[in-house]
Amino acid sequence: MIDWQRISELRDEIGADDFDEVVDLFLAEVEETLEALPNAQNSELEAMLHLLKGSALNLGFQAFATRCLEGEAAARADRPEEIDRDAIRQLYDASRHAFLQQVTA
């Protein structure tokens, strides 16, 4: 679910203080986008899922990024009915929980 090696690399690259800021920014940005996702128009979905995917990959949320990639591809192919927005949210919530348990422990 979480790419812990990516998290370790990121923390080493930017330092602990900046890492905490990146995490806070990531969580806020993803939460904001996820709040808008259920009501997003089909024309907005690809860009929103692309943003979520990129953010997730940066912070090691591997499973969440994969789900967003699948949704992004469905949106690009004009198949928005294949995008399970609830499942995307649930996977993010599970990933966030696993991440915060480990990072704040």
Side-chain angles (χ1 to χ4, degrees), residues 10-63:
L10 181 62
R11 183 180 276 144
D12 289 346
E13 287 172 12
I14 64 176
D17 289 340
D18 288 338
F19 178 79
D20 290 343
E21 288 181 39
V22 166
V23 168
D24 290 343
L25 181 63
F26 164 77
L27 295 176
E29 185 174 86
V30 169
E31 287 288 336
E32 182 179 317
T33 304
L34 286 172
E35 287 296 318
L37 194 62
N39 299 316
Q41 300 298 313
N42 293 345
S43 61
E44 302 169 304
L45 285 172
E46 184 179 356
M48 292 174 80
L49 291 164
H50 181 80
L51 173 85
L52 290 170
K53 176 193 71 181
S55 296
L57 287 173
N58 190 45
L59 203 60
F61 281 45
Q62 190 62 47

Side-chain angles (χ1 to χ4, degrees), residues 40-104:
Q41 300 298 313
N42 293 345
S43 61
E44 302 169 304
L45 285 172
E46 184 179 356
M48 292 174 80
L49 291 164
H50 181 80
L51 173 85
L52 290 170
K53 176 193 71 181
S55 296
L57 287 173
N58 190 45
L59 203 60
F61 281 45
Q62 190 62 47
F64 178 62
T66 299
R67 178 64 57 96
C68 291
L69 173 65
E70 293 165 358
E72 181 184 7
R76 186 178 315 109
D78 198 28
R79 296 189 317 265
E81 69 281 356
E82 295 178 11
I83 302 168
D84 188 340
R85 299 171 201 211
D86 290 333
I88 290 171
R89 177 63 195 218
Q90 291 169 0
L91 184 54
Y92 168 74
D93 289 342
S95 299
R96 181 181 181 273
H97 178 75
F99 174 80
L100 291 175
Q101 267 191 318
Q102 187 70 22
V103 170
T104 60

